[in-house]
Amino acid sequence: MKYNFQRDSNKARSNQKINPEYDFSKAEKRKFYRPNARFNIPIYLDEDVFNYFSQRAEAKSVDLNDLVNDLLKKDIALIEALELSGAEN
């Protein structure tokens, strides 16, 4: 099944009415835009993975986020080291 998310903007506007309490006449374009804004994207772990790392973090008295970040940084270092050693051969 295909979905068409594109709309004819004129049709959409003519069929929809904005409630009178929504007054955008004094709105400022890009007022809340922040080009350097940082977004924390949620990452969802499988339940067994989450439980394993939660137990490890609790046993080490560290925050789960810190534990996972440290492990991922170590994995990145290993991957980069392997890529470098592979490039040399």
Side-chain angles (χ1 to χ4, degrees), residues 31-87:
K31 180 177 182 177
F32 298 104
Y33 173 71
R34 301 290 182 261
N36 297 322
R38 180 173 175 224
F39 296 98
N40 290 321
I41 300 169
I43 297 181
Y44 302 99
L45 303 174
D46 291 341
E47 186 177 357
D48 57 334
V49 173
F50 175 79
N51 291 336
Y52 176 81
F53 285 115
S54 292
Q55 290 170 1
R56 300 280 299 188
E58 188 175 329
K60 292 184 170 198
S61 299
V62 297
D63 185 65
L64 177 61
N65 289 326
D66 293 336
L67 177 72
V68 172
N69 276 312
D70 288 343
L71 290 169
L72 290 172
K73 288 175 185 177
K74 289 177 185 176
D75 280 350
I76 291 169
L78 285 171
I79 291 167
E80 290 176 349
L82 288 172
E83 287 174 348
L84 286 177
S85 67

Side-chain angles (χ1 to χ4, degrees), residues 13-24:
R13 287 187 186 139
S14 65
N15 292 337
Q16 297 176 354
K17 296 196 186 250
I18 295 178
N19 291 336
E21 65 265 18
Y22 302 141
D23 179 15
F24 296 106

